[in-house]
Amino acid sequence: MAKKGVRQEWEEALQQVALAANNIVPWKPLPGPQTMAYTSEADELFYGGAAGGGKSDLILGLALTAHQNSIIFRREYPQLKGLVQRCRKILKGTKAKYNSTEKVWSGLPDGRSLEFGACQHEDDVEKYQGRPHDLKAIDEITHFSKAQFKFLTGWLRTDDLNQKCRVICTGNPPTTAEGRWVIEYWAPWLDPKHPNPAAPGELRWFAVLDGEDVEVESGEPFEYTDKEGKTELVKPRSRTFIPAKIEDNPIYMKTGYKSVLQSLPEPLRSQMLKGDFAAGVEDDPWQVIPTEWVLAAMERWKKDRHISMTRPTPMTCLGVDVARGGAAKTVIAPRYGNFIGKLQKHAGKTTPNGGAIASLVQVAIVGDAYVHIDICGVGSSPYDTCVERGLNAHAANGAGGSSARDKSGKFGFINKRAEWYWHLREILDPTSGDDIALPDDPELLADLTAPKWKITSSSKIQIESKEDIQKRIGRSPDCGDSVVYAFGNVEFAVWAEDIATWS
């Protein structure tokens, strides 16, 4: 007779408990990180990192034993197959049944409910609008955009005072640039550059203040007065990250899965075996600006920031991306030759008209610097107001035609937006660029590495539209556009003069 494996022995023992106890779910967390995550008090928990740490089992176990009304998401429906199969094994011997059409389990002990969902496209989240659950679990969180995550978790609630509500996310380190928002969201645990790192499982509290995600001192409610002078009572939410590796899963350790992870090529090996969030993230081959080029520019900024602030280099330009109301921001990028100062970000609700934006520009501008201001959409009124006030304003019309060529001379541009983005790419190129220094700003990094490009049939470079980028990443790339405008060519002679002055 073949010897039983660890998993088989574990599950058979639990099945006997279930049958003896009349429809009790035969599951309990593994000792170590999985138990730590199961008992965590965090409102929003990220569990995982490495592969094989029992991520999927954790969210299934929580849904089946600790919550009344749960939903588990994957990005695409076919990816749910493994979760469904594992759920069948856990529930073997109970009265539970699965409806594959509705993707809902019925007959669960204690009247619990569990369903599965997917959001392949950005706007698929609307299918789940207004549907409350006390457990929102997102498996492989780095496959989702931040906008999807925030929308799906927006209806986390229950009418049972004894039921805890929580968000559980699982996943490995991101393998694409689009998943990097996760590192920013759980920065105290995942960002090695964070000034105040947190220990695994340690609770930190966060609140959204004036549209920004801000870490606060504790979970105690506090009164906050926003930029419009309105005061409200804010209740912070707790957040944590608990790492798990294959060594924490005795079942997978017995079956030799670790050797599979050890055989992966780098950086996938470090990501999946060690849960290394600092390992390289592969760029899309049609990404306009390579991530490493932007990171190099940010390293130059950090290295020279204290020197740059005392240099006699005059302000060259203000790049202004305009927002009037809504979730977008008005962002001002001050440029000093090849150095961009700290971005000035203003919530759209604080810049409702041209006068408000022009006033911000007047405060920010120094000397004879010119203003390159976005006039597409809502930007024409701020531009007109800047001109009326005697500012050296130039219209940034990204939809306008372009007669410029790339450095090779082979390609033209479909419009000014493509020309300006490609110009920034060229001056960031480490082999032939101009040693541009960009602020060490995670939002700016995400914005500049989001756009993709292609060559049209007329041999012109076309950059992904702002609207399409917004749909894909879930927000407007306002910080990136402001820097693009700061370096956008009003006159090539101006740029040449700036470089000469800086050097």
Side-chain angles (χ1 to χ4, degrees), residues 411-433:
F411 302 108
F413 301 98
I414 199 74
N415 53 24
K416 278 289 186 180
R417 174 181 169 78
E419 175 191 329
W420 294 332
Y421 258 98
W422 204 259
H423 175 59
L424 182 58
R425 170 192 166 97
E426 290 178 336
I427 60 178
L428 283 170
D429 189 332
T431 61
S432 60

Side-chain angles (χ1 to χ4, degrees), residues 171-324:
N172 307 118
T175 55
T176 66
E178 292 174 4
R180 277 184 168 155
W181 70 269
V182 171
I183 299 176
E184 179 184 353
Y185 196 78
W186 278 276
W189 300 270
L190 304 182
D191 186 351
K193 299 178 292 183
H194 194 276
N196 185 23
E202 176 186 349
L203 296 187
R204 292 286 180 89
W205 286 266
F206 296 81
V208 177
L209 307 177
D210 291 313
E212 298 290 335
D213 192 47
V214 179
E215 184 175 349
V216 296
E217 292 184 358
S218 73
E220 292 298 318
F222 62 94
E223 287 191 345
Y224 180 76
T225 302
D226 63 20
K227 293 180 179 179
E228 294 182 344
K230 297 179 181 178
T231 300
E232 66 175 335
L233 186 67
V234 177
K235 176 67 171 70
R237 287 176 56 77
S238 58
R239 200 178 297 175
T240 197
F241 169 75
I242 297 177
K245 299 180 180 179
I246 189 171
E247 289 83 359
D248 302 312
N249 190 333
I251 297 170
Y252 280 159
M253 286 297 289
K254 287 284 187 179
T255 59
Y257 183 45
K258 184 175 182 178
S259 65
V260 175
L261 300 179
Q262 290 173 327
S263 67
L264 293 173
E266 290 290 1
L268 202 58
R269 183 182 190 274
S270 293
Q271 292 174 325
M272 300 303 167
L273 179 63
K274 302 176 182 178
D276 186 358
F277 282 82
V281 177
E282 184 179 352
D283 284 344
D284 186 285
W286 293 100
Q287 183 173 309
V288 177
I289 304 176
T291 302
E292 290 303 318
W293 296 8
V294 180
L295 291 173
M298 290 180 171
E299 285 298 319
R300 287 191 289 269
W301 190 88
K302 288 187 291 184
K303 180 180 179 181
D304 296 334
R305 178 174 52 175
H306 64 289
I307 302 174
S308 302
M309 293 298 97
T310 61
R311 283 176 176 171
T313 306
M315 179 181 286
T316 308
C317 173
L318 289 180
V320 184
D321 185 69
V322 173
R324 285 170 58 179

